[in-house]
């Protein structure tokens, strides 16, 4: 179920809202990141998410292509649904599903084929959301217990827990206590 909500006049604001994934793009400046996804997790359930795409880098020759925009957007939104990377080596051949389709959750130097989810991603989503408890993330999500980290200062994202893709990707976790945390996935631009 997709709901389109009107944007804000202040495009740099992209606030996490319980039960939704907010997707924003703006010229966030020379932050070093091309795309960022954050998910708020409470008792193993994703309660809200934010995706930011940095038009500062998408305005450069290296990233100003539909393929780069689509791959980064798809990958960051995929993270907000709980998907991880299929492969974290951007210099090897694309991983293909049984139908020969590449995935946006596979890092790539040349993302022309990596612009959407593939069958493996959909199978992962079925597995993730086939839980047997009665929790409805939207209906029962608590109000956030922490201020959203500043997207420019990575130290505010919490503890660095993984560096991927030869340093082009990173995962941070900010522990909010009581089983709540914010997980931040970063796709760094070539610096």
């Amino acid at each position: 179920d997709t709901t389109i909500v009107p944007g804000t006049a202040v495009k740099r604001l992209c606030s996490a809202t319980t039960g939704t994934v907010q997707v924003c793009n703006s010229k966030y400046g020379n932050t070093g990141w091309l795309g960022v996804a954050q998910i708020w997790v409470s008792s193993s359930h994703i309660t809200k998410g934010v995706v930011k795409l940095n038009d500062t880098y998408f305005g450069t020759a290296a990233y100003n292509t539909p393929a780069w925009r689509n791959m980064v957007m798809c990958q960051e939104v995929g993270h907000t649904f709980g998907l991880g990377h299929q492969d974290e080596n951007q210099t090897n051949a694309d991983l293909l599903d049984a139908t020969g389709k590449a995935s946006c959750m596979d890092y790539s130097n040349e993302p022309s084929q990596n612009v959407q989810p593939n069958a493996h991603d959909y199978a992962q989503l079925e597995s993730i959301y086939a839980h047997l408890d009665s929790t409805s993330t939207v209906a029962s999500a608590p109000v956030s217990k922490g201020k959203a980290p500043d997207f420019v200062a990575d130290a505010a994202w919490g503890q660095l827990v993984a560096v991927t893709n030869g340093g082009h990707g990173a995962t941070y976790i900010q522990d909010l206590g009581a089983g709540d945390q914010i997980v931040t996935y970063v796709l760094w631009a070539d610096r």
Side-chain angles (χ1 to χ4, degrees):
D1 187 20
T2 303
T3 304
I4 299 175
V5 295
T8 173
V10 183
K11 297 295 184 191
R12 293 177 68 96
L13 296 178
C14 196
S15 300
T17 303
T18 300
T20 70
V21 172
Q22 303 290 315
V23 179
C24 306
N25 67 294
S26 187
K27 290 184 177 180
Y28 293 103
N30 292 316
T31 59
W33 53 264
L34 188 58
V36 172
Q38 287 189 299
I39 57 173
W40 278 251
V41 179
S42 180
S43 300
S44 302
H45 287 82
I46 297 170
T47 61
K48 55 187 162 184
V50 172
V51 170
K52 287 191 176 185
L53 303 172
N54 193 343
D55 287 341
T56 301
Y57 297 103
F58 285 118
T60 66
Y63 299 109
N64 193 11
T65 67
W68 268 107
R69 289 175 184 270
N70 290 340
M71 184 192 76
V72 174
M73 170 75 76
C74 179
Q75 186 175 111
E76 302 307 345
V77 170
H79 286 316
T80 67
F81 287 109
L83 290 176
H85 299 119
Q86 286 191 25
D87 180 35
E88 295 177 341
N89 181 349
Q90 82 183 55
T91 61
N92 65 354
D94 291 335
L95 295 180
L96 304 178
D97 65 13
T99 66
K101 188 174 170 187
S103 168
C104 64
M105 300 308 293
D106 180 5
Y107 281 126
S108 178
N109 274 332
E110 175 33 56
S112 60
Q113 295 185 63
N114 305 78
V115 296
Q116 58 192 2
N118 68 9
H120 178 269
D121 298 316
Y122 289 113
Q124 289 293 89
L125 289 172
E126 287 176 8
S127 176
I128 292 168
Y129 290 98
H131 53 76
L132 300 176
D133 64 21
S134 61
T135 301
S136 169
T137 300
V138 175
S140 66
V143 175
S144 174
K145 296 178 183 171
K147 179 182 176 286
D150 181 351
F151 275 89
V152 177
D154 59 55
W157 292 334
Q159 181 179 357
L160 177 65
V161 296
V163 175
T164 59
N165 192 21
H168 289 285
T171 305
Y172 297 81
I173 294 181
Q174 181 181 17
D175 187 354
L176 303 175
D180 295 341
Q181 54 186 210
I182 302 172
V183 180
T184 303
Y185 300 92
V186 182
L187 181 59
W188 299 107
D190 286 329
R191 304 183 235 186

